[in-house]
Amino acid sequence: MSNLAVVAYAADDLRVEDAGTPVPAADEAVVRIAYGGICGSDLHYWRHGAAGASILREPMILGHEVSGVVVVEAADGSGPAAGTPVAVHPLTPHGDGVTPWPADRPNLAPASSYLGSALHLPHTQGAFAQRVAIPGRMLHEVPASLDLRVAALAEPAAVAWHGLARAGDVRDRSVAVIGAGPIGQLVASVARRAGASVVTVTDLHEKPRRIAQARGIRSLDARDADAISALHADVVVESSGTEPGLSAAVSAAARGGTVVLLGLQRAGDVAVPMSTAITRELTLTGSFRFAAEFDDVIAALADGSLDVSGIVSEVRPAADALAAFALAADPASSCKVLLDFAAD
């Protein structure tokens, strides 16, 4: 293949095929992708043909958690020069002409596009390919000292960073994280960097709990309701995106505490123990993607103050994407799975 890519056609129809030579627009650079992290939305497109309200209606290259090197800089001079190692900020904010949104929070723009998203038609093609044309404004330089495998974590780490920031200053406060998948592990890392006094994660599966413990983070079995309710955490971040996880988050919160709703819940009504939230005077706050934090995250990854050791559990050649996706879908056996596009 001249340009190997990972393409979703429909539910259970994931293909590794030739995407052809990228033809960049004037404001686009060609990036040779090094690594791509498999996200939950990628898994949903593979398994269900949709991620929430974003339904596959045409073939779409997946992927938005990527790092690489610019090989052809943008013709209009925007973005980094050829040879620059980069991480990709995948958001393009758009309004819909009707719905108001705060201009200083582009992640809340109502008609935005995101790399590897089927929300709009034509779909916004993703970056799981060996060479991709990407707008120069999306490309953020990473220090040469930063391993591109670690740089591929910049996008999910920014999601975690933004989520914790929604709770305010956590220095000397206790933080609990419901769900110890990749995002939950990253939230725990961000909390430790921010000076939280105690950080605890919960999960149903032994593997993510062991990963957390190896990283020096306390972990609890998510089925241990008594231990979770005894946490009395000042800040709880719900990262599982499940109804039981949301109930556990409210249960784990101290009176007067804050619960951050980071994991994306299913569409429609979701049961919440509101009586407990009311009588404890909890603050419930949503968190969606991220905005201006990206460069701060890259800097923290580069200087080592944001510890992500142990979070990447597998790196597989992109040609083996089907096996890699199956592995990433099994939280009992893996954490974050990266595709290696340089290996093919």
Side-chain angles (χ1 to χ4, degrees), residues 13 57 71 129 190 207 246 250 302 323:
D13 189 358
R57 289 157 285 174
V71 291
V190 174
K207 178 69 178 280
L246 184 52
V250 171

Side-chain angles (χ1 to χ4, degrees), residues 89 158 161-163 165 289-298:
H89 189 317
W161 189 292
H162 180 79
R289 294 176 176 164
F290 59 95
E293 301 93 341
F294 204 58
D295 286 328
D296 291 336
V297 171
I298 290 171

Side-chain angles (χ1 to χ4, degrees), residues 71-320:
V71 291
V72 180
E73 60 193 78
D76 68 358
S78 63
T84 303
V86 294
V88 177
H89 189 317
L91 174 70
T92 299
H94 292 293
D96 60 8
V98 178
T99 308
W101 54 282
D104 62 341
R105 296 164 74 179
N107 55 309
L108 300 184
S112 296
S113 60
Y114 216 72
L115 293 182
S117 170
L119 180 62
H120 303 292
L121 190 67
H123 298 337
T124 306
Q125 298 295 314
F128 278 178
Q130 289 174 314
R131 296 184 309 284
V132 184
I134 300 176
R137 58 181 166 72
M138 289 185 174
L139 305 178
H140 292 244
E141 183 174 354
V142 303
S145 60
L146 181 60
D147 190 317
L148 288 176
R149 284 172 294 188
V150 177
L153 294 176
E155 194 274 353
V159 171
W161 189 292
H162 180 79
L164 192 67
R166 296 284 293 141
D169 187 359
V170 301
R171 182 173 299 278
D172 298 326
R173 304 175 76 195
S174 57
V175 175
V177 184
I178 307 300
I183 294 294
Q185 299 277 355
L186 288 165
V187 171
S189 293
V190 174
R192 293 176 75 186
R193 180 186 183 277
S197 58
V198 179
V199 181
T200 306
V201 301
T202 75
D203 205 276
L204 290 169
H205 301 283
E206 182 182 358
K207 178 69 178 280
R209 297 199 303 268
R210 282 195 283 107
I211 290 172
Q213 289 165 357
R215 303 176 63 231
I217 298 166
R218 181 188 182 203
S219 71
L220 294 175
D221 190 318
R223 289 160 292 209
D224 192 341
D226 289 341
I228 290 171
S229 65
L231 285 173
H232 303 291
D234 298 312
V235 173
V236 184
V237 180
E238 201 302 298
S239 70
S240 74
T242 66
E243 260 186 56
L246 184 52
S247 293
V250 171
S251 173
R255 292 173 180 268
T258 298
V259 176
V260 179
L261 311 178
L262 179 58
L264 188 61
Q265 296 284 335
R266 61 175 173 80
D269 294 337
V270 175
V272 184
M274 289 305 298
S275 176
T276 302
I278 292 167
T279 58
R280 292 187 186 179
E281 287 195 354
L282 301 182
T283 299
L284 307 183
T285 184
S287 182
F288 185 60
R289 294 176 176 164
F290 59 95
E293 301 93 341
F294 204 58
D295 286 328
D296 291 336
V297 171
I298 290 171
L301 290 171
D303 67 20
S305 61
L306 181 57
D307 177 20
V308 295
S309 58
I311 292 177
V312 175
S313 55
E314 300 282 344
V315 180
R316 296 292 181 93
D320 296 334

Side-chain angles (χ1 to χ4, degrees), residues 10-112:
D12 295 319
D13 189 358
L14 186 71
R15 308 180 195 181
V16 177
E17 61 185 28
D18 190 350
T21 301
V23 180
D27 66 341
E28 293 180 327
V30 177
V31 178
R32 184 176 69 247
I33 300 299
Y35 297 97
I38 299 174
C39 176
S41 64
D42 299 317
L43 296 175
H44 280 293
Y45 286 123
W46 164 53
R47 300 172 90 178
H48 310 297
S54 302
I55 301 170
L56 281 173
R57 289 157 285 174
E58 63 182 11
M60 183 177 73
I61 299 173
L62 296 177
H64 56 267
E65 301 178 5
V66 294
S67 64
V69 177
V70 175
V71 291
V72 180
E73 60 193 78
D76 68 358
S78 63
T84 303
V86 294
V88 177
H89 189 317
L91 174 70
T92 299
H94 292 293
D96 60 8
V98 178
T99 308
W101 54 282
D104 62 341
R105 296 164 74 179
N107 55 309
L108 300 184
S112 296

